[in-house]
Every structure is written in structure tokens, then in C-alpha cells.
Amino acid sequence: MADTTSCRICEGTVEEFFDFGRQPLSNAFVKPGEEKDEFFFRLAVGLCSDCRMVQLVEEVPRERMFNEDYPYLSSGSVLMKAHWEAVAQRFVDREDNRDDPFVVELGCNDGVMLETVAKAGVRHLGVEPSGGVADLAAGKGVLVRKDFFEEDVAASVRAEHGPADVVFAANTLCHIPYMGSILRGVRDLLAPKGVFVFEDPYLGDIMAKTSFDQIYDEHFYFFGAHSVRAMAALHGLELVDVERLPVHGGEVRYTLALAGALTPSAAVAALLAEEVEAGLTDLETLRGFGARVQRISDDLTALLTDLRDQGRRVVAYGATAKSATILNYSGIGPDLVEAVVDTTPAKQGRLTPGSHIPIVPAERFQDPYPDYALLFAWNHAEEIRGKEEGFRASGGRWITYVPEVRVTSD
Ligand code: SAH
Ligand code: TYD
Ligand code: ZN
């Protein structure tokens, strides 16, 4: 096992602090009969001792993950839809007093955010390499370019449309190992006072809640204010604002501008100080994470084994990318969890990657209700518990495992 690798941001030394072992691609839901063809890689995380970026040590080729068959749909959650509308409105309002503003989104997926921008008549472009979801965005009246965003694509976008007032990326920047090319591209695309706004799972929340299932093939980086400030500075950009968000288990929205163009807010200094206090830049603190992961994994496996031995039915809720990490790390399969329910058409009828649990439509949840439901989509707990009142009324119990294994009847 390699203990150190070279940082994908600054070429410094990355020291590994946790190894999840052999894992499949989290969104590669398997057709029954094709279990033998799965791709595996070693999922391990480390900290760069120079720029302090937490990152995976092994990179999966991007076309294996993001292609025509990419199944994830951003519009799959009603509460998240409200979040995207608020984001879009903010850009529309911000750009209102400029002549002909231009908004670019990296990883626009099915167009859930840009649809609102398009309806407001604001000039926009989504850059999205996964063909299936890009087509859904185009069907909503969103202008989409099917490409992986990087330096040369940025140059051609600028040549065709002019400079961007806003470049936005949600749950996408952390997916992209080739960060130098991205940041040089953004820098060259931005108008002089333009901003690059991106929101991604926050390292501070992952460590505080031990939400280790945020670590999987697609999530290559785990950003914090320290590492984002460092990566921006390497490419002529500056971190000018941070805002904590409650979505997806805790994220931060970072705003970058061209170096010197805007004054950094007080929130940046405050978050930097908080991170030092929490030890997020310190390898020893991060090493403590592994023992907590192991505890959750052991507790969950013991609980599920117990329930099986008592003859109880357990169904999981939400075939999330996140669930691949816990299922494969803990060795949980169809003997412990009989099925996973999910609303996404492209996931239904398939098996969970590596662990091969059948995925069935959400309507099957009540047909009949199981005794226990393992909530894989724990980041959508409020929405799911709300719409599954009938499960609770039937005496069903929810199992969650972040920040610790809990069984609840509410
Ligand atoms: N923004 C959406 C989608 C997140 S999923 C949301 O927050 O829900 C990540 C998306 O990034 C996928 O649709 C994937 O195809 C896209 N992506 C991956 N690499 C990319 C790149 N280099 N440029 C633009 N999009 C990319
Ligand atoms: P999500 O947690 O957003 O992301 P990831 O795959 O990156 O971990 O995935 C939520 C999954 O749960 C998605 O497959 C849709 C499904 N889902 C339901 O089946 N019902 C629901 O009510 C909601 C909100 C999500
Ligand atoms: Zn580094």
C-alpha cells in the first residue's frame, strides 16, 4: 500500500489517513447478469501537507463515471428544487442591473438550476459531459454544451459568448481532479468583476458528523477554506466569500474572484480560524476519523445481522452514490437488506454496485411496508420522512448511521 502520493493541486506530499479498500463506481448500477463486468478501484483519502487539500489517492478515468448512462438526476428532490430556484434567483437579481449578463454553469445535470435563469431571459450556458442528463436540460429550454469543462473549452466558450459574469458549479468541482486546467479556464472566462461560485460537501461537516459515505469515486476533493484559498491563489484567483449551507449533510458555498478584484468578506477569516480550531488542517485529527468509521460500520453490520436473525424485513431507502461506500466497506448485501427503493427510473431494475441489492420503484416501499428502513438518502431525511408517514404509522422504524447508528420510530 502506497502511504504517500503527489497532490493533484500543488504537487506536495499527500499522506493517506483512511483506506476503504476495493470499491466499485458509485453510480454504476449493474444490470442483472452483468455482475462480472464491474470496475473496482482502491478508495483511500489523504491530506496534502502543503496546500492542506484532502483528496482521493487514486483517480478513476472520467469517462467511466460521466457518460450517456450517468443516472443521477438533480431534480429528484423537491426540497433541493427550492434550493436551486433560490440560487438562480440570486444570479438573476445580481445581474439585473448589468447589460446582457452571462451565467455559465459547470455540471448543470438535468438543468434544474439553469431552467430558472433561462426563464428569466438571462443569457446562460450549461457545460455538461453526461449526454443523457444534458438532453434533459436542453428539453427544458436550457442552452447546453456537451463537454467536460476545462481550459480549452473555457477559451472556446469565451470566444463564442464573451466573458462570464458568473460561473457556477454545484456538487461538481469536487468531482474534478484536473483542477489546474479548470481554474485557469475559469480565470480566463471571467469578466473583470465576475465571480466563480461553487458549493460542495464541506470537510468540516464530514469530519464532525463522520459522514464518511460522502467519500466515493466521484468526490475526489473534500474542500475547506484553507485548501480552496490555496488552490485559488495558485491560479490568479482569490477566495472572497464563504457561506455554510445545510444541504447534502453540510456544504460550503465558496466565491472566488480575480485576485485583487473584490474585498474578501469577514466570513472567510472566521471560517479559516474555525478550521484551525477544529484541527482540520492537521493529519492527527484526520486520523481519528478512521476509528469512528469502523465503529459505525461494526454497529450497523451487527444491527442488520441481528434483525435478520430475528426474521425482520429490512429495505433501504434511496439508491444513493453514498451508499456504495458503506455497503461495500461493511460487506452488506441482499442477505441483510432485501431491496433498495428509489424514484430514479435509470436505477430501477438494476443492482447496487458491488453489493448487488435489487433496486425497485419507490411505490414498492408500501407493498407491504418492511419492519425497518435503512435511510441511505439521509441528506433528504425531512422530505422522505414527510412523505412516508404511512411507514411510521404502520409501526416501521428508520435506521440511520450518520453520525452514529440509530433506530427511531419517529
Ligand atoms: N449540479 C448538479 C449535478 C451534480 S452531479 C447538482 O448539484 O445536483 C455532478 C455533475 O458534474 C454530473 O452531471 C457530471 O456529468 C458533471 N461533470 C463531471 N465532470 C465535469 C466537468 N469537467 N465539467 C462539467 N461538468 C462535469
Ligand atoms: P442524493 O443523496 O441526492 O445523492 P448521491 O447519489 O450523490 O448520494 O441521492 C438521493 C437518491 O435518493 C436519488 O437516487 C433519488 C432518491 N430519492 C428517492 O428515492 N425519494 C426521495 O424522496 C428523494 C428525495 C430521493
Ligand atoms: Zn497540495
Side-chain angles (χ1 to χ4, degrees), residues 62 66 70 72 74 84 105-109 127-130 133 147-150 169-172 175-176 178 182 218 248:
R62 63 190 188 179
F66 309 116
Y70 187 66
Y72 182 75
S74 300
W84 301 128
E105 184 180 8
L106 318 183
C108 69
N109 197 270
V127 184
E128 173 53 69
S130 297
V133 295
D147 251 322
F148 286 97
F149 183 86
E150 49 190 333
N171 306 298
T172 295
H175 291 55
I176 308 180
Y178 39 102
I182 299 292
E218 294 177 18
H248 291 312

Side-chain angles (χ1 to χ4, degrees), residues 332-404:
I332 297 168
D335 56 324
L336 296 178
V337 173
E338 67 177 52
V340 185
V341 298
D342 195 286
T343 50
T344 316
K347 297 181 184 180
Q348 296 163 357
R350 305 267 181 129
L351 307 171
T352 57
S355 50
H356 305 154
I357 303 172
I359 300 163
V360 300
E363 301 76 53
R364 290 269 299 277
F365 189 51
Q366 53 175 322
D367 191 20
Y369 284 123
D371 301 304
Y372 291 81
L374 174 55
L375 187 56
F376 282 150
W378 52 262
N379 45 316
H380 301 292
E382 191 188 338
E383 181 171 343
I384 292 172
R385 283 179 208 253
K387 73 179 181 194
E388 298 295 356
E389 290 279 337
F391 172 59
R392 188 175 57 172
S394 78
R397 291 172 171 226
W398 290 102
I399 302 173
T400 51
Y401 53 91
V402 167
E404 60 191 5

Side-chain angles (χ1 to χ4, degrees), residues 7-14 48-53 55:
C7 175
R8 283 296 255 124
I9 300 290
C10 77
E11 296 179 3
T13 304
V14 174
C48 173
S49 46
D50 293 335
C51 73
R52 304 283 150 184
M53 183 66 83
Q55 57 199 277

